[in-house]
Amino acid sequence: MNPRILILNGPNLNLLGRRQPEIYGAETLEDVIAACTTLAAEIGLSLDHDQSNHEGDLVDRIHDARDAADGIIINPGAYSHTSVAILDALNAFDGPVMEVHISNIHRREAFRHHSYVSHRADGVIAGCGTDGYLLALRRLAKILV
Ligand code: CA2
């Protein structure tokens, strides 16, 4: 069976491609997931994905992934900078975790420079636009396939 990857997107990422294209690009979240689905099939990964604007929902989804996924790609959105709860949930997940930020959070406001999730992530990709999700998939394939 192909290793199972969960792509999890946090708050406001449902608006991708519809606002602030100068920061987050023109692709919608549906476009990103479609590109990831194509790549995942090519490189031998099976893909599941979800997006939520609610911290507790993201925590629940990470708990479910303990049995349902072998690796996680997460863009926690603004919760990256605030959520010990998401960090704790990821610490209870055994597989590899890739953290993705579409923008380069280190070139932006100081409050975006720290990510709680980075304390757990095995790899962090920032500033590569939506290609970051594809790069993270390739990294997980290298680890898991
Ligand atoms: O660069 C990233 O991927 C972020 O995780 C995106 C978050 C931001 O709070 C983080 O600091 C960095 C914000 C996502 C908001 O996405 C939007 C997309 C289009 C229009 C409006 C918001």
Side-chain angles (χ1 to χ4, degrees):
M1 201 174 81
N2 286 344
R4 304 156 300 170
I5 307 303
L6 172 65
I7 298 184
L8 199 50
N9 280 289
N12 297 308
L13 286 156
N14 54 310
L15 298 178
L16 216 54
R18 307 187 205 284
R19 298 275 311 277
Q20 297 184 268
E22 67 287 357
I23 302 177
Y24 300 114
E27 273 189 305
T28 66
L29 187 56
E30 292 72 22
D31 295 333
V32 173
I33 296 301
C36 287
T37 302
T38 302
L39 178 65
E42 278 169 27
I43 62 179
L45 296 171
S46 135
L47 202 64
D48 189 12
H49 66 91
D50 205 356
Q51 185 275 332
S52 177
N53 295 320
H54 305 282
E55 186 175 18
D57 288 347
L58 294 165
V59 168
D60 287 342
R61 203 65 170 85
I62 294 164
H63 290 178
D64 293 345
R66 284 162 48 79
D67 294 319
D70 300 301
I72 295 177
I73 296 172
I74 183 165
N75 183 345
Y79 287 141
S80 316
H81 319 301
T82 63
S83 181
V84 177
I86 291 175
L87 169 63
D88 287 345
L90 288 168
N91 276 331
F93 177 79
D94 287 332
V97 173
M98 292 295 295
E99 177 181 359
V100 171
H101 296 284
I102 298 166
S103 63
N104 181 356
I105 54 175
H106 303 288
R107 211 168 68 173
R108 300 184 65 191
E109 303 96 322
F111 65 82
R112 296 187 202 274
H113 295 179
H114 174 264
S115 165
Y116 285 99
V117 168
S118 296
H119 292 255
R120 163 63 179 87
D122 297 285
V124 181
I125 298 168
C128 295
T130 51
D131 286 351
Y133 293 91
L134 301 171
L135 296 168
L137 273 176
R138 289 195 186 277
R139 177 65 187 155
L140 288 183
K142 199 161 189 181
I143 296 169
L144 292 170
V145 174

